[in-house]
């Protein structure tokens, strides 16, 4: 099971552009913060993204 997801795959999962992912990471306090894995590699924890998605679904219902 994968623990992390990179920006390209995350953008695809959320049906937004990569620039939107980075804007959300900077501006939205509720959006999970990325983790620097190594030089040039940043990723998000899948668990945190799934929790964020669930919290959005609850608010829209």
């Amino acid at each position: 099971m994968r623990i992390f997801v990179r920006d390209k795959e995350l953008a695809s999962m959320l049906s937004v552009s990569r620039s939107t992912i980075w804007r959300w990471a900077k501006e939205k306090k509720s959006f999970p913060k990325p983790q620097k894995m190594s030089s040039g590699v940043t990723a998000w924890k899948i668990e945190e993204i799934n929790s964020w998605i669930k919290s959005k679904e609850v608010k829209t219902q």
Side-chain angles (χ1 to χ4, degrees), residues 1-19:
M1 182 170 113
R2 291 190 22 219
I3 298 172
F4 292 94
V5 62
R6 306 261 323 259
D7 62 347
K8 185 176 181 181
E9 187 174 358
L10 182 55
S12 178
M13 284 172 54
L14 299 175
S15 299
V16 297
S17 68
R18 289 172 64 199
S19 60

Side-chain angles (χ1 to χ4, degrees), residues 4-50:
F4 292 94
V5 62
R6 306 261 323 259
D7 62 347
K8 185 176 181 181
E9 187 174 358
L10 182 55
S12 178
M13 284 172 54
L14 299 175
S15 299
V16 297
S17 68
R18 289 172 64 199
S19 60
T20 296
I21 295 297
W22 287 106
R23 186 174 66 249
W24 287 354
K26 261 182 129 171
E27 298 173 1
K28 286 187 179 247
K29 296 196 186 301
S30 66
F31 193 72
K33 298 300 176 207
Q35 296 188 1
K36 186 89 166 167
M37 307 301 283
S38 66
S39 178
V41 178
T42 304
W44 285 257
K45 285 186 176 180
I46 294 254
E47 181 180 313
E48 291 177 2
I49 293 298
N50 289 335

